[in-house]
Amino acid sequence: MNEKMRAHVVVSGRVQGVFFRSQTQEKAQQSGVSGWVKNLAEGRVEAVFEGERAKVEQMVKWAKKGPSGAIVNDLNLV
């Protein structure tokens, strides 16, 4: 059975101005994961991933690294 889950993350580091949001959206759509992603005023990125557990876990793992050009210092599950 495909267990569903939701992950709410806040990513800090050099994550704005490096296409983090757009590449996160693209990766999620390709993976069949829904949710949202947005920049926060203080320079972090916040995202919610929803879908099959394995796919959501892959998105969280990807967000810990981010796209090339990003430098992720920390990822917190909220």
Side-chain angles (χ1 to χ4, degrees), residues 15-71:
V15 294
Q16 289 190 11
V18 294
F19 300 100
F20 198 101
R21 272 185 314 134
S22 63
Q23 290 192 22
T24 300
Q25 288 175 318
E26 184 177 312
K27 179 86 172 157
Q29 287 173 345
Q30 291 171 350
S31 300
V33 172
S34 60
W36 51 265
V37 59
K38 69 178 181 178
N39 286 340
L40 299 175
E42 74 279 357
R44 297 181 300 163
V45 171
E46 180 179 19
V48 169
F49 306 122
E50 296 178 326
E52 294 178 18
R53 176 173 289 279
K55 292 177 180 180
V56 170
E57 288 173 346
Q58 279 299 111
M59 282 302 305
V60 172
K61 183 178 176 181
W62 180 87
K64 287 180 181 179
K65 180 181 172 194
S68 64
I71 299 171

